[in-house]
Amino acid sequence: MPLERDRYRPDWDDFSHKLKCAANWTCQQCGKVCRQKGESVEAFANRRFEPKSAAWVDAIAHPQRYCLTVAHLDQNPANDEPDNLQALCAPCHLRHDRLHLASNTYAKRERRGQLRLELRAGDEAIA
Ligand SMILES: [Zn+2]
């Protein structure tokens, strides 16, 4: 989910970092502790899990699963009200955004200039 930077506040990186720190680098949906900014994958895995355990191996093999993000729950990056923001691990963020995938795809295409084609009752379909 690449950011469209121009839709976010200019200080988004610092702003979202503060929210992640306030959440103690923990997903506010599933409770998973995530890797902190600047922490290596190995240091994170060693801090959180028994070395060579299944969880440790998973953290090493799939570090993206332990990446904390900040989600705009209403899908509007201009709405930075506290009740619209939640620190979510990447899997929870993807699950949340999946609910809005179709509408976000259309909105993104329109922002890039693609026009919306709407059929009205009585319009004939063109084969
Ligand atoms: Zn989560």
Side-chain angles (χ1 to χ4, degrees):
M1 80 197 110
L3 289 180
E4 292 178 279
R5 288 251 171 219
D6 58 328
R7 300 188 64 221
Y8 290 77
R9 57 193 289 162
D11 66 340
W12 176 250
D13 289 344
D14 291 337
F15 181 74
S16 62
H17 182 258
K18 288 175 185 162
L19 295 173
K20 294 171 191 175
C21 290
N24 202 24
W25 294 90
T26 302
C27 177
Q28 294 179 301
Q29 197 158 89
C30 73
K32 183 194 300 174
V33 174
C34 292
R35 192 160 48 106
Q36 296 181 17
K37 184 176 183 179
E39 185 176 32
S40 74
V41 172
E42 292 76 16
F44 168 74
N46 290 334
R47 176 172 63 85
R48 291 290 303 151
F49 306 111
E50 182 70 28
K52 309 299 183 190
S53 66
W56 184 90
V57 170
D58 182 68
I60 296 291
H62 306 285
Q64 70 278 12
R65 294 178 183 168
Y66 300 87
C67 177
L68 193 64
T69 66
V70 175
H72 289 89
L73 299 178
D74 71 352
Q75 303 290 298
N76 178 6
N79 180 0
D80 291 326
E81 292 298 318
D83 64 349
N84 189 45
L85 299 169
Q86 203 167 43
L88 299 179
C89 69
C92 285
H93 198 156
L94 289 170
R95 269 192 296 280
H96 175 75
D97 283 356
R98 190 180 314 144
L99 302 172
H100 309 278
L101 182 62
S103 60
N104 285 347
T105 298
Y106 288 124
K108 189 174 192 177
R109 288 177 181 164
E110 287 180 345
R111 283 195 299 276
R112 293 180 176 176
Q114 182 171 330
L115 300 177
R116 181 182 294 248
L117 180 62
E118 295 182 28
L119 295 178
R120 296 169 301 216
D123 286 350
E124 291 184 31
I126 299 173

